[in-house]
Amino acid sequence: MKLNILLITASYKPAYIYGGPTMSVSQLAENLVEFGGHAVSVYTTTANGKSELDIEANICHLVNGVNVTYFDRITKDHSHFSPKLYIALWRNIHRFDIIHLQAWWHLVSVLSAVICIFKNKTFILSPRGTLSNYSFNNKTTFLKKIFHNLVGKPILLRAKFLLTSEKEQDDLISLLKKPVPCFVLPNFVKTSPDKTDRQMPSSASFELLFLSRIEEKKGLEFLLAALHNCQIPYKLTIAGSGQKHYVDSLKRLAQSLKIQQNIQWIGHVKDEFKFEVLNQHHLLILPSYDENFANVVVESLSVGTAVLITPNVGLADFIVKHNLGWLCAQKSEDIKSKIEYIFTQTQQLKIIRSIAPNLIDTIFKAENLTSKYISYYSTTLGNDKDHKINVSDNF
C-alpha cells in the first residue's frame, strides 16, 4: 500500500545550521520516496538560525522528489510560530495517512499536535533529543516545566513515539513517568560513498578529531583539559561552528592550558569534504553530556575511523557490542588516560579501520531501514497501541 506521509519539522534543508537533525529528517523523507515509492510532503518554516532561508515561502517546492512547503514564521529560534503552517495542516490533515512530527518544545510541533488531537488524527513524534533528561533538567526554565506538566505532558501522552536509540527511550519514559507506545529505529545517515580499502593516517602524531556543532552539550571543555600534559604526541582538529562567544571561550581555555599549538580550528566542514576529513584522523572524540543518537559516530565508522565517546551518546551500546571504539567517563582524567591507551592500540585501530565500513554499510543501508520505517507506519495505521520493537536486535 502506498502511503501519503506528512513530516512536520521546524527546519529543513538547506538549513544545515541546525546540524544532524536537519540531515536525518531530509534523508528520511527522500528515502521514503526513493525506496518506498510513497508520497511524502514536508511542512516546515523558513528558519535558518537568526535569518530566514532565501526561498519563496508558502508554496510547495519539489526538493529531491519531496513536496516541501516552507512557511513564514513570525518568531525565530526556538519558538518558530508559523500561523500559515497551522492553517495548512488544519485544512489538509485529512489527506495524509501518516503525520510524523520532528522534535518537541517549539510551537511547530506542539501546535501541530494540538491540531491532530482536535481532528482525532493519530500522530507520531520523534523527539530527536529534545525530551532527554539532560535537555529537560539542564536547560528548562521554571515556566517551561510548568508548561510541560500542565500542557505538554498531556499532549505527549497522546502521541506515538519513533525513537532513535534505547537511551532516548529510557529518557522519555523517565520524563513522562508512564509507559508509552515506542518504536526504536536508527537515523538515516549518509555514509562514505568510497568503499575502497582505507589506510591509517601516516602521521607520527595521534590525529584526534572533534566534528560536530560547537556547543556546551558537546563537552569540549573536558577534552581540552584532558590534553593538558598529555604524554603522547597528538594533534586535535576541531571541526564545526557555534556561537562566537562560546568558541572564543574555548580558544581562551586552550591558550590557558598551553595546548593551542596542537589544535587546529577548521570551522564548518561541507558534506563533500566530511569523509575526507574523517579519514585523515585516527580517532573521533565526542565527550558529550547527551546525544540521542550521534550521526557523526556512524559517519566516522563508515570510513573506518574509531571513536571515543561517553556513555551518554545513544550509540554507546552499539559501539561496545561491535568493538568499534571505546567509552570514557565525562572526566578529563579518564579521557586523557583513554587517549593515551588507545594510542598504543595500533592493531585494534587497524582492525576497526578494516571491518567498520562494511558493517556500517550493512546495518545502515537505506533500503533496509526504509522498509522498517514503512512497517512501523503501517502498524501505526493499524492502531496497535501496544506495539513495541527494540532496535538492539538489529544492531
Side-chain angles (χ1 to χ4, degrees):
M1 182 177 87
K2 298 303 180 183
L3 301 177
N4 196 359
I5 302 166
L6 176 64
L7 307 182
I8 301 178
T9 179
S11 60
Y12 194 78
K13 73 177 193 180
Y16 299 118
I17 190 172
Y18 297 109
T22 299
M23 298 300 299
S24 295
V25 175
S26 63
Q27 287 187 58
L28 168 61
E30 291 168 12
N31 286 321
L32 288 171
V33 172
E34 181 177 357
F35 299 113
H38 301 278
V40 181
S41 300
V42 174
Y43 282 0
T44 186
T45 76
T46 54
N48 192 31
K50 294 181 180 180
S51 61
E52 307 301 310
L53 291 173
D54 184 16
I55 193 166
E56 188 175 357
N58 309 316
I59 66 167
C60 183
H61 300 262
L62 189 64
V63 182
N64 294 344
V66 180
N67 297 308
V68 184
T69 306
Y70 300 86
F71 292 95
D72 288 325
R73 58 174 182 168
I74 294 176
T75 60
K76 298 185 183 294
D77 297 358
H78 296 281
S79 56
H80 306 292
F81 182 58
S82 179
K84 291 181 181 178
L85 187 154
Y86 314 133
I87 292 170
L89 178 60
W90 183 272
R91 290 174 175 171
N92 299 318
I93 194 170
H94 64 280
R95 295 175 42 221
F96 300 104
D97 302 308
I98 299 293
I99 308 291
H100 188 177
L101 312 182
Q102 310 295 322
W104 191 243
W105 294 121
H106 56 70
L107 292 174
V108 170
S109 281
V110 173
L111 294 182
S112 293
V114 171
I115 291 171
C116 289
I117 292 171
F118 268 99
K119 292 283 191 174
N120 197 30
K121 185 79 170 182
T122 298
F123 63 97
I124 301 163
L125 173 62
S126 290
R128 301 198 176 277
T130 56
L131 289 173
S132 71
N133 287 322
Y134 172 81
S135 68
F136 188 77
N137 293 318
N138 290 274
K139 292 192 173 182
T140 301
T141 64
F142 178 69
L143 289 177
K144 195 172 181 180
K145 289 183 177 180
I146 292 177
F147 172 84
H148 170 70
N149 288 317
L150 295 181
V151 180
K153 186 175 178 179
I155 295 174
L156 291 171
L157 291 174
R158 300 285 295 271
K160 294 191 173 186
F161 291 91
L162 182 52
L163 309 170
T164 59
S165 66
E166 291 182 54
K167 176 193 176 298
E168 190 175 30
Q169 176 180 287
D170 293 341
D171 283 347
L172 176 67
I173 293 173
S174 174
L175 180 64
L176 295 181
K177 296 181 172 58
K178 287 186 177 182
V180 288
C182 296
F183 194 110
V184 182
L185 279 175
N187 278 341
F188 285 93
V189 182
K190 186 178 293 185
T191 56
S192 173
D194 185 359
K195 304 304 180 186
T196 60
D197 291 338
R198 296 180 178 273
Q199 301 299 314
M200 294 289 292
S202 58
S203 170
S205 298
F206 200 33
E207 300 291 338
L208 309 175
L209 175 66
F210 171 90
L211 195 161
S212 187
R213 286 177 295 166
I214 299 177
E215 57 184 7
E216 292 180 11
K217 185 177 84 166
K218 304 298 180 178
L220 264 170
E221 292 89 348
F222 296 100
L223 175 56
L224 297 180
L227 296 176
H228 181 57
N229 292 328
C230 192
Q231 299 302 303
I232 63 169
Y234 75 88
K235 292 180 182 177
L236 171 65
T237 300
I238 297 179
S241 59
Q243 295 291 330
K244 185 178 184 303
H245 67 89
Y246 181 60
V247 175
D248 288 344
S249 73
L250 292 174
K251 291 180 178 180
R252 289 193 297 270
L253 176 60
Q255 289 176 344
S256 70
L257 294 169
K258 303 187 187 311
I259 60 173
Q260 72 272 18
Q261 69 277 6
N262 292 334
I263 301 177
Q264 183 181 20
W265 303 77
I266 65 173
H268 175 71
V269 177
K270 293 183 178 179
D271 274 356
E272 57 263 39
F273 304 118
K274 181 184 295 184
F275 296 109
E276 180 181 348
V277 170
L278 286 162
N279 188 52
Q280 293 168 352
H281 292 81
H282 294 100
L283 185 69
L284 174 83
I285 305 178
L286 191 61
S288 292
Y289 284 93
D290 180 71
E291 300 283 345
N292 66 295
F293 188 75
N295 290 359
V296 71
V297 170
V298 176
E299 292 167 341
S300 182
L301 293 170
S302 78
V303 303
T305 300
V307 300
L308 174 64
I309 62 178
T310 63
N312 308 324
V313 175
L315 285 171
D317 289 343
F318 171 71
I319 296 303
V320 171
K321 178 178 179 179
H322 294 285
N323 202 20
L324 297 174
W326 294 264
L327 302 188
C328 60
Q330 199 181 45
K331 296 180 181 178
S332 57
E333 298 85 356
D334 192 52
I335 297 173
K336 176 177 179 290
S337 66
K338 290 290 171 54
I339 291 173
E340 292 174 346
Y341 169 74
I342 297 168
F343 176 70
T344 69
Q345 300 301 297
T346 306
Q347 188 59 33
Q348 182 60 27
L349 288 169
K350 288 180 179 179
I351 291 173
I352 294 171
R353 178 74 56 161
S354 174
I355 68 171
N358 288 336
L359 180 64
I360 292 298
D361 189 49
T362 299
I363 293 175
F364 292 92
K365 191 173 183 179
E367 297 95 321
N368 295 339
L369 276 182
T370 300
S371 67
K372 292 175 182 177
Y373 273 80
I374 293 302
S375 175
Y376 170 67
Y377 287 150
S378 299
T379 301
T380 301
L381 285 176
N383 202 31
D384 182 357
K385 296 183 179 180
D386 297 322
H387 188 65
K388 181 177 178 181
I389 289 183
N390 195 304
V391 75
S392 61
D393 293 339
N394 299 319
F395 275 49

